[in-house]
Amino acid sequence: MKAYFARHIQVFLATLGDLIRHPGASFLTIAMIGVTLALPAGLYVGLLNLKQLSHSWDRGGALSVYLHRGASGQAAVAAMRRLPGVQSVRYISPRQGLREFEQQSGFGRTLTALHENPLPGVVVIRTPSSPQALTALVAALRTEAGVAHVQSNLAWLERLDAALALGHRLVMILGALLGFALILILGNTTRVAVVNRATEIDVIRLVGGTDAFIRRPFLYTGALLGGLGGVCALILLELSLLLLHDPVHNLAHLYASKYSLTGIGGGDALKLVVIGTILGWIGARWAVGRQLRQSVQ
Amino acid sequence: MIELNHIFKRYPGGNEALSDVSFAVDKGELVFLTGHSGAGKSTLLKLISLMERPTRGQILVNGHNLGRLSPRRVPYFRREIGVVFQDNKLLNDRTVFDNVALPLVVAGITGDEVRKRVQAALDKVGLLARARGYPLTLSGGEQQRVGIARAITHRPVLLIADEPTGNLDAAMSDEIIDLFKDFNDHGVTVLIATHETRHIERLQKRVIALGRGHMVAST
Ligand SMILES: Nc1ncnc2c1ncn2[C@@H]1O[C@H](COP(=O)(O)OP(=O)(O)OP(=O)(O)O)[C@@H](O)[C@H]1O
Ligand SMILES: [Mg+2]
């Protein structure tokens, strides 16, 4: 068993040595794999950032209830407090509403030109954002006296979530396709390597080398190239994030937000390298197996 | 050790290289295989070392029926025999030492044992000083001797040699044949294909002669 591991380590070191001695062709392959992996990984990181952004939104303050003109704000608030699922209630009287609107919109003068306050009273209800509870609450509110209209502020967030879920699925599909591409890239590299070493393989077979013995260095090369491709993808990703940092920072500043991009986490980075390694191994295994079956023993 | 029963071999090209060849070599024998160029000597040795398969007939080597040997078992069968190839089949990008070590490395032998056995084999063929050299820096005869060293490092029970003295002068040629005789004296069964009648006369061993793919004599 010890000898078995010693042999594997020996082959691994020999593979690494080969790679260091002939870096040219390997570098191209690694770069190709890096780009292939960086694309879905980059989209994935982008998606994570969007998700984080959507979660940072205040999900409370979910419902705006517009009252009929002349309906009593006090009575409405008192009634709504008693409904199940209501966390807190805030009443904005028509006058208050007008003031806030003037301040925030800069339409102050236009509105003072109106003879009469056009705004209804509004009750803003905070509620824990479970979709079922929300629908029930909306239905209950509609039957309250004095209620003209109930608007859920969560609708667009739900739409965003749905879009993000779609994006997530698309990234998965793209990732699977590009993972397949990676297998093909390494399969082809391995095939060329096997063909180049046909005489050596013949001789190894003639002196009693098993197919497993012949395969081993090619598998290590494939796995190593795949893993290094993963590292290359990480470098590309970090460089892209570095380039995006300042523009995003400026944009966030304009929105008075402290938002900044998050990079790929340690766990995901490790996953990327491991995926590269595994796909590299699979590509090499597939190609070398095919080649060895084609050449007669 | 070797038994051929009504062996026929036709290459895809069409001409019959061997037709109805039958003979047996006992354990511990040294046998010469002779015949003119193109008689089928190499073909016969390739069938015995499983580099080719017969079109018809049965071959038994060291207790294995080669026709029934599964592909998985073939490498292990090859470790039981040693083959000196007519064209040497050395790896030019590996040192002499690494070439000779190859049968040991593929069999999973490591470390000191490899060094000891390779040095012993190279010493036998008189090339210990060239261990670190590369095959292409050696003369034709020296390359042939590296091929012989590689065929014996793993201590096979059967040694098959295809024209092992093809590129050697008379003195070296005799030395190599004496080396084979020495292995034979230590219990290794040896089968040598050669057209040099000198060795056959000198050693007074059994001879199997081929002519145009047919057995013409077996002493
Ligand atoms: N791979 C092959 N494909 C087709 N025909 C072949 C092949 N190998 C050998 N032959 C033919 O088989 C016959 C026997 O060849 P073989 O190499 O066994 O002869 P040999 O006795 O070893 O000759 P030599 O002394 O020149 O080495 C020859 O006619 C040769 O042309
Ligand atoms: Mg021949």
Side-chain angles (χ1 to χ4, degrees):
Chain A
M1 206 62 199
K2 214 171 129 196
Y4 178 82
F5 281 117
R7 243 180 306 147
H8 273 267
I9 288 168
Q10 203 177 350
V11 174
F12 178 74
L13 290 180
T15 308
L16 200 64
D18 267 353
L19 205 70
I20 293 164
R21 256 174 281 129
H22 314 284
S26 314
F27 179 77
L28 271 181
T29 309
I30 291 170
M32 200 143 59
I33 296 164
V35 173
T36 310
L37 280 174
L39 208 61
L43 286 174
Y44 175 72
V45 170
L47 218 56
L48 283 185
N49 275 292
L50 274 178
K51 232 179 231 171
Q52 208 168 39
L53 199 61
S54 97
H55 282 302
S56 70
W57 253 292
D58 186 7
R59 297 225 168 196
L63 297 174
S64 298
V65 182
Y66 297 86
L67 302 180
H68 284 300
R69 283 198 174 209
S72 154
Q74 249 73 25
V77 166
M80 287 172 195
R81 274 227 169 84
R82 271 179 272 112
L83 290 174
V86 174
Q87 203 171 41
S88 73
V89 172
R90 183 165 74 97
Y91 177 63
I92 302 168
S93 69
R95 195 180 305 166
Q96 244 177 321
L98 189 62
R99 237 191 345 259
E100 278 179 23
F101 189 71
E102 279 172 0
Q103 278 167 8
Q104 285 177 11
S105 68
F107 278 119
R109 243 174 265 153
T110 323
L111 288 173
T112 37
L114 297 169
H115 294 299
E116 180 178 353
N117 184 350
L119 296 178
V122 181
V123 183
V124 178
I125 295 177
R126 283 173 170 276
T127 173
S129 61
S130 127
Q132 294 94 327
L134 200 68
T135 334
L137 188 58
V138 169
L141 286 169
R142 288 215 170 104
T143 62
E144 286 291 319
V147 170
H149 180 67
V150 181
Q151 189 185 325
S152 167
N153 295 338
L154 282 182
W156 77 271
L157 275 178
E158 272 162 24
R159 269 179 232 133
L160 179 64
D161 282 349
L164 284 179
L166 177 67
H168 198 257
R169 184 62 57 88
L170 284 175
V171 168
M172 289 295 149
I173 292 170
L174 191 71
L177 284 176
L178 289 174
F180 189 61
L182 196 156
I183 291 179
L184 293 181
I185 292 172
L186 272 161
N188 191 52
T189 312
T190 308
R191 190 185 58 77
V192 171
V194 173
V195 168
N196 283 340
R197 297 172 77 170
T199 10
E200 188 179 339
I201 290 172
D202 268 357
V203 172
I204 291 175
R205 277 181 162 164
L206 289 176
V207 299
T210 58
D211 279 4
F213 179 90
I214 295 167
R215 275 198 298 263
R216 212 169 288 149
F218 294 107
L219 298 186
Y220 275 122
T221 307
L224 198 62
L225 288 178
L228 287 176
V231 172
C232 176
L234 285 177
I235 293 170
L236 290 176
L237 216 57
E238 285 304 314
L239 280 179
S240 314
L241 286 173
L242 215 60
L243 288 175
L244 285 175
H245 180 267
D246 282 353
V248 167
H249 187 77
N250 287 342
L251 192 66
H253 186 72
L254 289 178
Y255 278 95
S257 157
K258 287 210 179 64
Y259 179 78
S260 73
L261 284 175
T262 33
I264 189 162
D268 281 337
L270 189 68
K271 251 187 244 167
L272 191 63
V273 175
V274 169
I275 287 173
T277 307
I278 292 173
L279 290 180
W281 190 90
I282 292 173
R285 178 69 183 79
W286 168 67
V288 74
R290 241 173 69 101
Q291 283 308 113
L292 289 186
R293 250 176 283 124
Q294 269 173 14
S295 61
V296 280
Q297 35 112 11
Chain B
M1 180 58 71
I2 305 174
E3 192 183 329
L4 276 76
N5 292 317
H6 305 290
I7 289 299
F8 291 77
K9 175 64 182 179
R10 186 188 290 278
Y11 282 109
N15 58 327
E16 202 156 58
L18 293 174
S19 58
D20 201 13
V21 174
S22 302
F23 66 82
V25 175
D26 284 339
K27 197 169 161 57
E29 268 194 287
L30 187 156
V31 177
F32 286 108
L33 183 66
T34 66
H36 61 86
S37 180
K41 303 184 295 292
S42 294
T43 302
L44 195 61
L45 297 190
K46 282 178 184 168
L47 292 178
I48 294 171
S49 56
L50 261 181
M51 291 165 72
E52 293 282 352
R53 300 260 183 187
T55 317
R56 207 133 61 79
Q58 185 194 47
I59 305 176
L60 299 165
V61 179
N62 198 24
H64 304 286
N65 182 342
L66 298 193
R68 296 244 186 86
L69 207 61
S70 77
R72 282 184 151 280
R73 302 299 312 166
V74 170
Y76 301 96
F77 163 72
R78 287 189 171 137
R79 292 175 197 175
E80 296 171 15
I81 65 178
V83 184
V84 180
F85 303 96
Q86 191 165 11
D87 56 353
N88 294 325
K89 295 200 187 296
L90 299 179
L91 297 175
N92 293 326
D93 59 349
R94 299 198 190 189
T95 61
V96 166
F97 184 99
D98 287 344
N99 268 282
V100 176
L102 199 57
L104 302 175
V105 173
V106 301
I109 299 169
T110 48
D112 243 20
E113 181 71 9
V114 172
R115 197 180 45 75
K116 262 187 353 217
R117 290 217 212 166
V118 170
Q119 283 178 349
L122 282 174
D123 196 26
K124 275 222 161 71
V125 298
L127 282 176
L128 194 51
R130 312 299 297 269
R132 293 179 163 277
Y134 284 85
L136 290 181
T137 66
L138 303 181
S139 73
E142 286 169 334
Q143 289 181 27
Q144 214 150 26
R145 278 142 67 199
V146 175
I148 294 168
R150 187 184 58 191
I152 59 170
T153 34
H154 57 296
R155 297 174 189 156
V157 293
L158 171 65
L159 188 58
I160 294 168
D162 196 354
E163 305 280 4
T165 58
N167 289 318
L168 305 179
D169 57 43
M172 184 53 78
S173 173
D174 285 355
E175 217 171 284
I176 291 299
I177 294 297
D178 287 344
L179 188 61
F180 283 120
K181 183 161 181 318
D182 186 42
F183 294 137
N184 181 239
D185 289 341
H186 285 84
V188 180
T189 310
V190 181
L191 180 61
I192 305 169
T194 183
H195 52 245
E196 283 187 75
T197 46
R198 204 161 51 81
H199 299 307
I200 297 167
E201 281 153 18
R202 204 161 59 86
L203 262 68
Q204 293 295 315
K205 293 282 186 183
R206 215 181 122 201
V207 177
I208 294 167
L210 290 176
R212 295 184 182 284
H214 294 270
M215 292 271 295
V216 290
S218 174
T219 53

